[in-house]
Structure formats: structure tokens, C-alpha cells
């Protein structure tokens, strides 16, 4: 039977469809139809293909080089994710009585504001044996450039099948004909970005058998057990403050999993004392790292914060230089879900975790926590009953990528199951 992904008609875009191939290193821009033809001509891959695993492990090892990891800590996390043992664990967790096969051609559209998301998405898809085309924004930052350089280094020792089946490209988002052609050609389209991006991309039709995997606007918050914070050793509080700064500042608090509101759980006096100590610890971490924001961002933060005040949503505003802004919400239910500027945090008190349940929305993604037991968190997850929150992770782990993201098992989505009955 003919493979439908091969016979899908691809819209012709002519010279306007020129695409810059950034990995593997390319020359002149190529027409999008030629790009698709190149990827499809590559040799077949299988789930957990040893050639791809070797390449990903070699790439990850390069990311863990001390000098690089110190300069870009988020790349150290990515390198850890790509260790051979982690790749093996991902494959082990996919065991099923069915035969698992690659999805086919996967088209990824990652966000421009988080430079490492495209690597996680692509790496898991490649590990599942897929041919991939990743559209990297021309606005991608310095970390993305480092990633591309490191990928090219690892390619020198890779099996030719990697070069044949994997592409990272750039083109102007206004070149809608390119997005349309790649959408028509793919078996799975992965859209990372805001709600508007998802709607915009969805205007381009998929083949009848293909599907979308979307990651729209999300918001996240932290919860701290006030009594537990006050009882914790100083070293634990310092470590938590360092983790909170990593969660929030690595991507200017624009990552969907970075906390924007901190809920203090417990008695009023405990919450007030714990928050005061927490603020001091965070301020010391920021000062020690020399972290600051530029004047434009400082203005943006003040406009956002005073806007909340004008709407009657806050009782108190505190600025600690340009790097840290704290607002005390007039009511916990008023937690802001929009980005207010790097290093801007809303604070609210609740007596128990259960008080959060009616406030949670489907848009809420990650809950970072300090001072709660596993049982308390599992009970909260059950009581939320799917109304929101897909991840509950310790403070400091908000940006740690996992194969299950936004409640979606990515390796499972990147494959198909074939039922074989004797």
C-alpha cells in the first residue's frame, strides 16, 4: 500500500519558498519542495535508532563541557537530558505489546523566546525515528546559535542518516507559503507558542491523516509552606532562593513554566515572616550574580505593576532596584497570568492548598513547591481533577524538561502503534 505521507500534494511556492538550512550546514536557500524531497529520500529510521541515539548522546556530551555549561546553564540541563542513560530510560518507558513505529515527517514550530525548547522537541522526535523539519525563528538568540554550532560539531562523527533525515531551517514568518507547504507535507505538526501563534498556524491545512500537537499560552505559579520555610535550615532556604531565581530569570520569566505568582500557605504571621526572609534570600542571590534588567524592561515592569494597582488588584508594591518587583495582591483570586516583565512577582496568602482549587484554570501549567509532602501534592492533583496544572515540581525545577510536558507524553505522540495479532 502506498505511504500517504509520500503522495500528499505539496503546494508549489517557487522562488518565494527559499528556505535557509541551518542544520546540517547548507549553502544557498532551497525551495521548500526540494527540502521536503531531501528529507524523504533519507534512509528509514526505527524507534530508538542506534545511529540517532549515538548522535544525540555525542551532542549532549558536548553540551556538558564545563566552560559551556557555566556560560549557559540551561545547556547543561539539556546535556543531562541527552545522556545515554536518560535516552535509554525514555525508550524503556515506551514498552507496549504493540509494535511502535515512527510517526513520519514531523514539522516543529518552536517559540522564539525560549532558545532550548526546539532541541527537546526535535531530539525526542528524532529518537522516535522521525524525519524532522524544525523552523527556527530568525530572531532566535545567542543560546540557539551555540546549540547549532554544537550540533554541527557532533555531526562530524555522525552516521550519514542523521544528515539525510534531519533539518533545522529558518525563514521569515511572513513566508506563509513555506509554512503551508511544510504543513501539507507533514504527518505531525508541533506548535509551540502563544494562542495567536496556534491560531495563525492552524490556518494552514494538514493532510487528512495528519494531526496537530499544540502548546499554547500557559501560566505558572509557586506555592510555599510558610511554616516549613521558617523551620528550614539556612542552607535549604538559600538553595531554594537560587532555584527560584533560575526558574524565573533564565528566560526573563517568559517561559511558560516560570512562576509569576507566589502563594504563601499557612497562618498570616508565618506567611509574612517567611515571605520577608524569602525576599531577602532572592535579593542576595540576584546581587551575588550581578543580575539586572535594562532600562526598557524596568519601565515595562513599572507600567505593568502600576496598571494592576490602577485596576485595584494590589495592596502593596515594592521595587528592589530594576531586578526585582513584588506586588501584594488584594485577593488571591486576582493572580495575574500575563507576563508583567522579567523579575515581577505577585504574592498572596492562602490558609491551605485546597483554597487554590477554585482559582486554578486550564491555562495553569506548572506548580513549583516548597515544604509540602508527596501525599499533599497528590491529593491536590486529584482534587483539581483536570481543571488545570499539569506539573508539580520542586522550586528550582520549573525549567527541567520531561518527556511528559503539558500533560502530553511526547514520545508517545511522536510514534504510532501497530497492532499485530497472530
Amino acid at each position: 500500500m502506498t505511504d500517504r505521507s509520500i503522495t500528499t500534494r505539496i503546494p508549489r511556492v517557487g522562488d518565494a519558498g527559499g528556505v535557509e538550512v541551518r542544520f546540517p550546514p547548507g549553502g544557498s536557500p532551497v525551495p521548500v519542495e526540494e527540502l521536503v524531497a531531501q528529507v524523504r529520500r533519507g534512509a528509514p529510521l526505527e524507534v530508538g535508532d542506534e545511529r540517532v541515539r549515538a548522535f544525540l548522546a555525542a551532542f549532549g556530551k558536548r553540551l556538558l563541557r564545563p566552560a559551556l555549561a557555566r556560560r549557559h546553564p540551561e545547556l547543561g540541563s539539556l546535556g543531562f537530558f541527552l545522556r545515554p542513560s536518560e535516552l535509554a530510560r525514555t525508550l524503556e518507558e515506551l514498552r507496549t505489546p504493540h509494535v511502535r513505529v515512527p510517526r513520519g515527517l514531523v514539522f516543529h514550530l518552536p517559540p522564539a523566546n525560549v532558545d532550548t525548547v526546539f532541541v527537546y522537541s526535535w531530539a525526542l522526535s528524532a529518537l522516535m525515528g522521525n524525519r524532522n523539519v524544525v523552523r527556527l525563528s530568525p530572531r532566535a538568540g545567542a543560546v540557539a546559535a551555540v546549540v547549532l554550532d554544537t550540533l554541527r560539531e557532533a555531526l562530524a562523527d555522525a552516521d550519514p542518516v542523521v544528515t539525510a533525515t534531519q533539518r533545522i531551517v529558518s525563514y521569515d514568518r511572513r513566508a506563509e507559503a513555506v509554512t503551508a507547504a511544510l504543513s501539507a507535507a507533514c504527518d505531525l505538526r508541533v506548535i509551540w507558542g502563544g494562542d495567536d501563534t496556534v491560531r495563525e498556524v492552524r490556518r494552514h491545512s494538514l493532510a487528512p491523516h495528519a494531526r496537530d500537537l499544540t502548546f499554547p499560552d500557559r501560566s505558572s505559579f509557586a506555592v510555599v509552606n510558610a511554616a516549613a520555610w521558617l523551620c528550614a535550615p539556612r542552607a535549604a532556604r538559600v538553595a531554594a532562593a537560587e532555584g527560584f531565581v533560575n526558574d524565573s530569570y533564565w528566560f526573563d520569566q517568559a517561559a511558560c513554566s516560570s512562576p509569576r505568582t507566589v502563594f504563601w500557605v499557612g497562618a498570616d504571621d508565618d506567611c509574612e515572616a517567611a515571605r520577608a526572609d524569602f525576599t531577602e534570600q532572592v535579593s542576595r542571590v540576584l546581587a551575588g550574580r550581578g543580575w539586572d534588567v535594562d532600562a526598557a524592561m524596568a519601565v515595562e515592569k513599572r507600567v505593568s505593576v502600576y496598571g494592576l494597582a490602577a485596576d485595584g488588584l494590589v495592596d502593596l508594591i515594592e521595587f528592589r532596584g530594576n531586578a526585582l518587583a513584588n506586588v501584594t495582591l488584594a485577593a488571591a483570586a486576582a493572580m495575574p497570568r500575563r507576563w508583567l516583565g522579567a523579575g515581577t512577582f505577585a504574592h498572596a496568602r492562602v490558609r491551605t492548598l485546597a483554597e487554590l482549587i477554585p482559582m486554578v484554570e486550564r491555562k495553569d501549567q506548572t506548580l513549583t513547591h516548597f515544604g509540602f509532602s508527596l501525599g499533599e501534592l497528590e491529593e491536590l492533583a486529584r482534587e483539581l481533577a483536570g481543571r488545570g496544572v499539569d506539573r508539580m515540581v520542586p522550586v528550582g525545577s520549573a525549567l527541567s524538561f520531561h518527556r511528559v510536558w503539558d500533560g502530553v507524553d511526547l514520545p508517545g505522540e511522536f510514534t504510532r502503534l501497530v497492532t499485530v495479532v497472530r
Side-chain angles (χ1 to χ4, degrees), residues 18 29 33 45 55 99 132 197 242 290 308 319 324 326 336 341 375 386 389 403 405 408 416:
E33 54 267 25
L45 298 171
F55 173 71
V99 176
N132 293 277
T197 297
E242 290 174 342
L308 292 178
F319 290 99
L324 179 61
N326 291 312
V389 178
R403 53 167 284 191
W405 193 260
V408 174
R416 294 187 300 114

Side-chain angles (χ1 to χ4, degrees), residues 243-287:
F244 183 83
V245 168
N246 291 341
D247 288 345
S248 307
Y249 286 81
W250 271 5
F251 298 109
D252 289 336
Q253 210 179 347
C256 59
S257 54
S258 293
R260 297 174 184 175
T261 299
V262 182
F263 288 101
W264 297 93
V265 184
D268 288 349
D269 289 347
D270 285 348
C271 289
E272 184 174 352
R275 175 183 165 182
D277 182 72
F278 171 85
T279 300
E280 290 302 322
Q281 301 295 349
V282 169
S283 297
R284 289 192 186 103
V285 173
L286 293 172

Side-chain angles (χ1 to χ4, degrees), residues 11-21 29-36 169-172 175-179 181-182:
R12 299 283 302 180
V13 296
D15 293 339
V19 178
E20 178 189 1
V21 178
V30 299
V32 65
E33 54 267 25
E34 174 59 23
L35 172 72
V36 173
V169 304
S170 286
Y171 60 88
D172 193 295
E176 294 191 4
V178 178
T179 299
L182 292 171

Side-chain angles (χ1 to χ4, degrees), residues 19-30 35 38-39 55 118 122 132-134 147-156 158-170:
V19 178
E20 178 189 1
V21 178
R22 304 183 67 177
F23 174 84
S28 301
V30 299
L35 172 72
Q38 289 174 2
V39 176
F55 173 71
F118 80 94
W122 161 76
N132 293 277
V133 176
V134 182
V147 166
L148 286 172
D149 288 342
T150 309
L151 281 168
R152 292 166 187 148
E153 287 178 23
L155 195 60
D159 189 283
V161 75
V162 176
T163 299
T165 59
Q166 311 300 317
R167 296 289 185 277
I168 298 174
V169 304
S170 286

